[in-house]
Amino acid sequence: MARENSNGRPTGLTFNQRAQIFDRTAARVTKEYFDPNFNGTKWPDLARESRQQILALEDADAFEHAMHDLVRRLGTSHTGFFHESVKRVPARLAIGATFHRTETAAGTLWIAQDVHEGGPAHAAGLKPGDVVRTIDGVAPPSNEPPMFAMGRDVDLALDRGSEHLALRISIPTPRSKKQPTATLKAVTWSIVEGNVGYLKVPILPGALGLDVAREIDVAMRELASCDKFVLDLRGHVGGGLGVLRLMSHLTPDRIPIGYTVTRKRAERGYDKASLPVLDRLPTDLPNPLAIARMAFKYAGRDTSVALVSEGLGPKRWHGRAAILVNEHTISAGEMVAAFASENRLAAIVGVETAGRLIPGSSSKVGAGYMLVMPKAEYRTWGGLRFEGRGVQPSVRFVWPAGPDLTDLSGQLSGALSALRGR
């Protein structure tokens, strides 16, 4: 039997347990990973060659790290291996913040960049530009951004300009252990610089995204009289089908957006124009009826699908829009930026996005461990694939790095400048 600590995390696994977890993981990757060529990595051979070495690791943490490293050798985003006790979660998911890495004579600094409203970091008082000195008394590693355990408090020592500060961040237990994410304020909006509508969407919660789609609709009604529009996707962490509504507001028409293709569909061949079409979120219905309708149409079938915008009609600001992105914009945020760029719906302002645009799915593989990997890939309607390379900006704006770090308003000013000529 596995030995567990107080939060249910294994401290030791038997050899047979490790073997069972390893073999389940290897079988699922071999059968279900979206690319039958394993992204050019010869992954099944790598798994066979490393099996005995990994199974010899009696320490549960060492076993988990080795399994994570093995799965990560597939070379795609949304790919990993972790325990459901969510001990190591990226900051963007655990606390609703991202960090910028800066090299100085004194060593590597991790500087808070995006701090999303409603998240644990924002509630604790973390601000863009804060330099993290220690986390629970230990300096963060230089080779990866800060990671956090969910369901506990964490103490940060910070430099804010010349001030030395201490913050305690209370990180809640995630609602879903399959997709551990802190709750963020998903939609905020305002009118800036005269009559420019500003909408910030850091996350699109919910698999079907019905509630967030309705929130986006409310924001768009409030901003309907604006002459120009800025969509802020800096630090966007991803989400579900609410992304269809967000993209649909960028164009008056029904136009193809992109498509996802599973391994099964790819292996037998397909015509993108013949894929099942998702072109409407039934937000006019109560959630139970809307969910039932979506389930009747799509559940239990191959998940390959073509996305088409909903045809929501013209807006005053169409043709005069900008989208803010940065190196932390991932997943659904990149879908929006790619759609807008490919169809010339908005100026993309910032730096290249993260190149993490592929849908990930999680599976249980035993003893509380989860395998996460993409079972389908996403391409724009023009056939572009942004996994591994991000969406390029049309207006480049690099977040300042140095002793004068303040907030992120400079990039918004850059977007407004880009819109003045439109």
Side-chain angles (χ1 to χ4, degrees), residues 303-317:
T303 56
S304 302
V305 66
L307 295 176
V308 175
S309 61
E310 298 175 278
L312 301 179
K315 292 178 173 57
R316 186 172 181 175
W317 48 262

Side-chain angles (χ1 to χ4, degrees), residues 54-230:
I54 292 176
L55 295 187
L57 298 172
E58 297 182 3
D59 179 78
D61 283 345
F63 173 74
E64 180 179 342
H65 284 295
M67 289 295 295
H68 179 73
D69 289 344
L70 173 63
V71 173
R72 289 291 298 158
R73 292 181 72 177
L74 286 161
T76 44
S77 65
H78 298 82
T79 306
F81 180 94
F82 65 92
H83 192 264
E84 63 183 8
S85 57
V86 290
K87 181 181 177 182
R88 283 173 46 83
V89 178
R92 67 179 184 276
L93 302 177
I95 65 172
T98 66
F99 291 89
H100 178 82
R101 177 176 174 170
T102 298
E103 299 296 335
T104 70
T108 301
L109 298 180
W110 290 104
I111 303 167
Q113 187 167 350
D114 307 290
V115 181
H116 296 309
E117 186 175 348
H122 182 268
L126 187 71
K127 295 183 178 181
D130 286 348
V131 179
V132 178
R133 291 298 184 185
T134 64
I135 301 173
D136 282 340
V138 178
S142 61
N143 61 340
E144 67 174 4
M147 307 282 280
F148 296 87
M150 301 192 72
R152 52 160 293 186
D153 292 347
V154 62
D155 292 312
L156 271 60
L158 308 172
D159 289 345
R160 182 176 295 165
S162 60
E163 294 183 86
H164 301 297
L165 303 174
L167 290 183
R168 171 162 289 186
I169 301 179
S170 296
I171 309 175
T173 300
R175 294 178 181 177
S176 169
K177 292 181 179 180
K178 284 189 174 183
Q179 296 177 319
T181 306
T183 299
L184 307 177
K185 190 170 179 59
V187 182
T188 57
W189 66 92
S190 61
I191 297 176
V192 298
E193 199 181 272
N195 199 31
V196 179
Y198 170 81
L199 176 68
K200 182 173 177 63
V201 183
I203 192 171
L204 290 158
L208 298 183
L210 299 171
D211 291 334
V212 72
R214 295 185 186 105
E215 288 186 68
I216 292 168
D217 288 344
V218 171
M220 290 301 186
R221 287 194 293 270
E222 293 289 325
L223 301 175
S225 63
C226 293
D227 299 314
K228 299 174 183 179
F229 176 71
V230 174

Side-chain angles (χ1 to χ4, degrees), residues 21-36:
I21 293 166
F22 184 101
D23 292 341
R24 284 179 179 171
T25 301
R28 289 195 178 226
V29 172
T30 302
K31 182 180 179 180
E32 300 176 8
Y33 186 70
F34 81 97
D35 180 3

Side-chain angles (χ1 to χ4, degrees), residues 32 34 241 258-266 268 275-278 297-307 359-361 374-378:
E32 300 176 8
F34 81 97
L241 287 178
Y259 55 96
T260 59
V261 180
T262 64
R263 175 170 169 173
K264 182 178 180 180
R265 183 63 65 95
R268 72 174 190 234
L275 294 174
V277 173
L278 176 57
K297 189 172 183 180
Y298 299 104
R301 304 179 185 181
D302 185 284
T303 56
S304 302
V305 66
L307 295 176
S361 301
K375 297 181 181 179
E377 77 165 336
Y378 175 80

Side-chain angles (χ1 to χ4, degrees), residues 17 36 77 125 148 169 171 179 181-182 194 234 237 248 251 255 264-265 279 287 328 364 370 381 393 409 421:
Q17 284 177 315
S77 65
F148 296 87
I169 301 179
I171 309 175
Q179 296 177 319
T181 306
R234 293 173 295 189
V237 301
S248 295
T251 176
I255 60 176
K264 182 178 180 180
R265 183 63 65 95
D279 59 358
N287 278 4
H328 305 295
K364 294 182 178 181
M370 309 290 296
W381 198 250
S409 60

